[in-house]
Amino acid sequence: MKNLILILLIFFLPFSCSSQSNTKTDKEKSEIKPSKNDDGEWDITVIDTQYDYFLNAVAKPMNQYSESYLKSRNILLVNEWNSYFSSGKYRNVIESSISYDPKENYGLKFEYKLYQVFAYVNWKYGLRMNGLSGSDVTRQ
């Protein structure tokens, strides 16, 4: 389960490299905020070799989804995830909230990879999330 913690801590890249003089509260430290990469595109990097396996061998290919479909699902999933985080439910799996702006145009690749993170958590840890499409839920 600690692999997921690593995933979430390094979930959205790049992080700000500048030093910060302000002391953040625990709530601020545990929030994941998306950032743009050097190419100006939104991206997610998940550092977990099983996630790469999942993405390449288990997950449906990106071309089977539309960006609007993924965005609508991600809005639900992020809200569900953040609700679990706030309540402390599944604290052995969910240790960070996710900052996600539904008005932002993140792009298909980002929306796909974010959606697959939720599918991956279901696949690896058995955490069923209501926002996942039935065909993306792992039967356990």
Side-chain angles (χ1 to χ4, degrees):
M1 303 253 176
K2 293 298 178 189
N3 285 344
L4 184 59
I5 296 165
L6 180 60
I7 290 169
L8 295 176
L9 293 175
I10 306 178
F11 196 177
F12 295 100
L13 291 181
F15 287 104
S16 173
C17 294
S18 61
S19 63
Q20 297 182 1
S21 58
N22 302 12
T23 304
K24 292 185 175 182
T25 64
D26 287 342
K27 184 84 172 164
E28 290 172 323
K29 288 179 183 176
S30 61
E31 183 177 48
I32 300 165
K33 296 181 181 181
S35 297
K36 291 187 177 182
N37 63 21
D38 292 338
D39 296 330
E41 295 177 350
W42 295 101
D43 197 12
I44 299 172
T45 300
V46 178
I47 300 179
D48 183 326
T49 56
Q50 286 188 316
Y51 175 77
D52 290 336
Y53 166 79
F54 174 81
L55 207 55
N56 294 313
V58 178
K60 285 195 241 175
M62 187 169 22
N63 66 7
Q64 291 193 10
Y65 300 96
S66 71
E67 184 177 345
S68 61
Y69 173 82
L70 291 170
K71 184 171 208 58
S72 68
R73 288 294 173 173
N74 284 339
I75 291 168
L76 296 172
L77 288 160
V78 167
N79 286 332
E80 186 175 358
W81 181 277
N82 287 342
S83 173
Y84 291 156
F85 172 75
S86 296
S87 70
K89 192 172 184 179
Y90 307 115
R91 86 178 58 208
N92 61 330
V93 177
I94 298 174
E95 293 192 356
S96 299
S97 66
I98 299 172
S99 177
Y100 179 87
D101 182 357
K103 296 175 187 167
E104 181 66 52
N105 180 12
Y106 292 107
L108 177 61
K109 184 177 177 183
F110 177 92
E111 297 289 356
Y112 173 76
K113 289 177 85 175
L114 177 59
Y115 181 80
Q116 293 307 328
V117 167
F118 300 117
Y120 173 73
V121 168
N122 170 253
W123 176 77
K124 184 170 183 178
Y125 300 106
L127 176 60
R128 294 179 189 245
M129 299 186 71
N130 295 323
L132 279 177
S133 169
S135 62
D136 294 316
V137 174
T138 303
R139 311 283 184 241
Q140 302 218 359

